[in-house]
């Protein structure tokens, strides 16, 4: 393996360890294992990147995407795992995507809604996780429906039921799990967006550090590491993003 230049090490591990935010709000990327420890694709990627740098790994485990964004933006962590979004790009520099995730709508079984095109209506309220990629995207895209916010993405469906809103929006797998858990709910066909999930670092760390992270992401996609990690953690419905060459 090529030696890591000192200025790259300094950019990623100014404290001597690589501090990586892990967002438990997205079950595709991370969740707690039977022992209560954070585990999942993002944990595997963080550990692999720390190994590449040759530094210890410190996980900063959080319960929402918004908190992860704030932590990296404020330089209180060195890398994170985020949906690419232009609002976040002010303070965070992103790699290309490593995983593609679908965003879906959920309604009650007796809802008159049967198509995604029916959602954006002034009579409807859509519940999303505060600061999530779905929050950012739907805030820009919905012209008529109102947006209400749950504290975190995993609490979206419970908040939707408690507040009697018309639609819940989030990660398809989370919504499917909640529908199975609670009953009386169904997903609308299709997806309203495809989340491009990437790694990111504080923009202040510089272009050379970003390119090192970009190269790492392309390597792990090409090697099959991401696909193997998804399979190991039993994640279905998420696709490995194409490599940069393949996507050109």
């Amino acid at each position: 393996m090529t030696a890591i230049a000192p200025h790259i090490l300094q950019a990623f591990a100014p404290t001597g360890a690589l501090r990586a935010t892990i967002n438990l709000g997205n079950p595709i990327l991370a969740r707690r294992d039977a022992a209560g420890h954070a585990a999942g694709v993002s944990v595997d990627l963080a550990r692999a990147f720390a190994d590449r740098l040759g530094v210890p790994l410190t996980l900063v485990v959080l319960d929402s995407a918004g908190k992860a964004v704030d932590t990296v933006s404020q330089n209180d962590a060195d890398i994170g795992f985020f949906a690419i979004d232009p609002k976040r790009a002010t303070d965070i520099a992103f790699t290309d995507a490593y995983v593609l995730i679908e965003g879906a709508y959920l309604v009650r079984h007796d809802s008159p809604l049967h198509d995604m095109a029916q959602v954006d209506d002034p009579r409807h309220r859509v519940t999303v996780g505060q600061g999530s990629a779905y929050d950012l995207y739907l805030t820009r895209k919905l012209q008529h429906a109102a947006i209400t916010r749950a504290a975190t993405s995993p609490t979206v469906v419970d908040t939707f039921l408690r507040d009697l809103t018309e639609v819940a929006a989030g990660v398809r797998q989370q919504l499917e799990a909640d529908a199975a858990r609670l009953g009386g709910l169904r997903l609308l066909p299709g997806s309203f967006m495809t989340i491009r999930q990437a790694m990111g670092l504080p923009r202040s760390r510089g272009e050379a550090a970003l390119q090192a992270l970009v190269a790492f992401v392309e390597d792990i996609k090409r090697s099959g590491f991401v696909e193997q990690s998804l399979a190991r953690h039993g994640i279905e419905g998420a696709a490995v993003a194409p490599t940069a060459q393949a996507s050109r």
Side-chain angles (χ1 to χ4, degrees):
M1 185 178 69
T2 304
I4 305 297
H7 69 285
I8 297 295
L9 280 177
Q10 178 61 29
F12 280 111
T15 65
L18 178 71
R19 300 168 299 169
T21 60
I22 301 298
N23 169 26
L24 296 180
N26 186 335
I28 298 295
L29 302 181
R31 61 189 75 181
R32 292 200 182 276
D33 62 18
H37 303 304
V41 177
S42 58
V43 177
D44 291 350
L45 268 61
R47 187 171 292 118
F49 189 58
D51 288 346
R52 175 171 292 199
L53 295 175
V55 298
L57 175 65
T58 298
L59 298 181
V60 182
V61 181
L62 303 165
D63 63 4
S64 73
K67 291 178 183 177
V69 168
D70 289 344
T71 300
V72 173
S73 296
Q74 295 163 11
N75 279 278
D76 291 327
D78 307 305
I79 62 168
F81 301 84
F82 311 103
I84 298 170
D85 187 272
K87 185 174 180 181
R88 294 172 174 173
T90 302
D91 298 311
I92 295 174
F94 296 104
T95 67
D96 199 358
Y98 63 89
V99 161
L100 306 177
I101 302 171
E102 290 185 349
Y105 289 132
L106 176 141
V107 297
R108 294 168 182 80
H109 263 307
D110 61 359
S111 170
L113 301 180
H114 293 278
D115 187 277
M116 288 191 300
Q118 298 174 292
V119 169
D120 195 12
D121 183 290
R123 295 169 296 179
H124 300 153
R125 296 160 297 167
V126 180
T127 301
V128 298
Q130 175 80 40
S132 67
Y134 312 99
D135 182 2
L136 300 177
Y137 178 84
L138 293 174
T139 296
R140 291 193 299 270
K141 296 299 182 181
L142 293 182
Q143 300 298 308
H144 307 291
I147 292 179
T148 67
R149 294 174 175 87
T152 64
S153 291
T155 62
V156 162
V157 173
D158 290 329
T159 304
F160 150 83
L161 292 172
R162 183 196 68 204
D163 295 347
L164 302 178
T165 61
E166 289 70 38
V167 181
V171 177
R172 174 177 296 279
Q173 287 83 353
Q174 179 73 61
L175 298 181
E176 288 173 340
D178 287 337
R181 172 174 64 91
L182 297 165
L185 304 170
R186 58 182 169 84
L187 272 69
L188 296 183
S191 59
F192 63 81
M193 70 181 297
T194 297
I195 297 293
R196 299 179 65 242
Q197 201 73 35
M199 293 182 71
L201 73 164
R203 191 167 288 281
S204 60
R205 303 295 175 90
E207 182 64 21
L210 172 60
Q211 291 309 313
L213 195 59
V214 166
F216 169 74
V217 168
E218 294 308 311
D219 286 349
I220 60 171
K221 288 189 291 186
R222 195 176 296 112
S223 71
F225 183 97
V226 179
E227 183 178 13
Q228 293 161 13
S229 179
L230 289 169
R232 184 165 55 254
H233 295 289
I235 301 301
E236 299 179 354
V240 179
T243 62
Q245 286 184 334
S247 61
R248 288 193 185 111

